[in-house]
Amino acid sequence: MANGGIIGPVNTVNAAVSETVTTVTSSTPSAVTLQPTTSIINTIVVAGGGGGGSVAASNIGGGGGGAGGVVQTNCISVTGGTALGAVVIGAGGATDSSPPFAPGASGVNSSLVVGCTTYTATGGGGGGGGSSPNLGTTGGSGGGTAYPATTAGASGTACQGNSGGASGPTPAGFAGGGGGFSCAGAAGSAHPGPGGGVGGAGLNVAPLFPGSPITSVAGGGGGGYYQPAVPSGLGGNANPVGGGGDAGSSPNHAPNNAEAGTTNSGGGGGGASSAGGGSPTSGDGGQGGSGVVVIKEPGSPKSAPGVWSMNTVYDLVKQGCWGGFNTANVDYLVVAGGGGGGGTTANTSGGGGGGAGGYRTSFPGGTKINLSGTTNITIGAGGAGGAGAPTSPDTKGVNGSS
């Protein structure tokens, strides 16, 4: 060429796209529309944390509330420029501030819909308190138990959290801490201390979702205690990671009323204490923290088709998203096999017709799917027809199967 340009086909350069992190809380709009070039997303869904146990002027401390469950998913295939489905942010579990000072309430589930899949995190379990038995409740992570002594904390949901801590072995009323995403709540100690169980650690999300105002989630609340004649300070602290609330009368929180879980963290509320002052007093558990949903759309550098920078290769391999670039965004219709018709006999009514097979489709205007490489396809067979029974006035035909 006269101007010295490159001879050959035009190689269109793709502009750089910045990484986008969207944080959805109970106070922000739930609609999330993806960037035009986005093909995969990483998400985390955190449910509301459980409330801490409240206590009357009795001989127990309140159990720590369990953290809200966590569902973290990477490399979800999506279509750029489209809106994701409904986002629901679960509220934190309430606490009971009036007799009989019940266990803390469980947190509320959070969920995110992407295409035809709903990702649901389970609300955290409430901490034990109130009238005997003073057990924690199950949840994303379980609540800590207050009484009877040496009783295990409530269990968490598999892959979403951990169990709450057990009550202590003595009448000192050292309650268990609430479970967190990364570990179980600690058990209450034997007399004379150190005291109520520490809440289980949550998850540090800052490296996973840089730029989000939420830096850690899903920590359990600390367990409270009962010791009117003992100076304050033996309640369990929440772990620094995860937004759980400190117990009442703990090193970080002096009043007998416990601290709430952090808003938008899914942290469990702290358990109440009845300590100091020389006479028993009632105490309120802390409310659980509300949940949160965070969505990351990976960015891409300026590039030409078929050309990858080493930094991009490294980042995608680290995220487990390398490969599958030769993709096709396709509509689909999938229909299952129909059910077989029912059999009959000579002296009965005719057999019932088989039901139609179910179906899933992207038509009209639904979410397409990205396919790459080899895709396995299974064709469901039709159900066998019911066999007629031997001629008899008393024998019915056999139902069709599906």
Side-chain angles (χ1 to χ4, degrees):
M1 297 178 62
N3 62 2
I6 299 175
I7 298 175
V10 176
N11 193 13
T12 304
V13 176
N14 299 318
V17 177
S18 299
E19 179 177 271
T20 301
V21 175
T22 304
T23 302
V24 183
T25 68
S26 57
S27 60
T28 59
S30 61
V32 178
T33 299
L34 303 174
Q35 301 299 310
T37 59
T38 298
S39 60
I40 57 171
I41 58 174
N42 298 341
T43 68
I44 189 167
V45 180
V46 183
S54 298
V55 295
S58 57
N59 62 346
I60 63 169
V70 175
V71 175
Q72 183 187 352
T73 312
N74 292 333
C75 301
I76 303 173
S77 294
V78 293
T79 301
T82 63
L84 299 179
V87 182
V88 177
I89 304 299
T95 185
D96 188 359
S97 58
S98 60
F101 302 98
S106 295
V108 180
N109 296 352
S110 292
S111 61
L112 167 65
V113 177
V114 181
C116 297
T117 302
T118 301
Y119 301 88
T120 302
T122 304
S131 302
S132 181
N134 315 97
L135 307 176
T137 55
T138 60
S141 282
T145 288
Y147 186 81
T150 64
T151 300
S155 60
T157 301
C159 303
Q160 294 194 23
N162 288 282
S163 299
S167 51
T170 72
F174 294 132
F181 175 74
S182 296
C183 66
S189 74
H191 185 74
V198 175
L203 174 66
N204 179 13
V205 297
L208 305 174
F209 299 90
S212 172
I214 309 303
T215 57
S216 65
V217 297
Y225 74 106
Y226 168 84
Q227 280 286 14
V230 175
S232 64
L234 300 184
N237 287 329
N239 191 284
V241 177
D246 296 323
S249 195
S250 61
N252 293 340
H253 187 75
N256 280 330
N257 293 338
E259 185 178 44
T262 301
T263 302
N264 304 327
S265 75
S273 292
S274 179
S279 60
T281 57
S282 61
D284 300 338
Q287 181 167 328
S290 55
V292 67
V293 171
V294 187
I295 301 160
K296 183 171 76 172
E297 302 173 57
S300 60
K302 182 178 181 180
S303 63
V307 178
W308 297 88
S309 72
M310 292 304 297
N311 285 338
T312 300
V313 173
Y314 173 78
D315 289 339
L316 291 174
V317 170
K318 186 177 180 180
Q319 295 174 19
C321 300
W322 178 254
F325 302 112
N326 296 321
T327 63
N329 194 231
V330 300
D331 283 304
Y332 63 92
L333 172 63
V334 181
V335 182
T344 185
T345 68
N347 298 316
T348 64
S349 300
Y359 77 96
R360 300 291 292 273
T361 182
S362 61
F363 301 103
T367 302
K368 298 182 179 183
I369 57 175
N370 290 313
L371 299 181
S372 63
T374 301
T375 300
N376 293 325
I377 298 176
T378 301
I379 305 300
T391 301
S392 168
D394 299 320
T395 304
K396 296 182 179 179
V398 180
N399 291 339
S401 64
S402 61

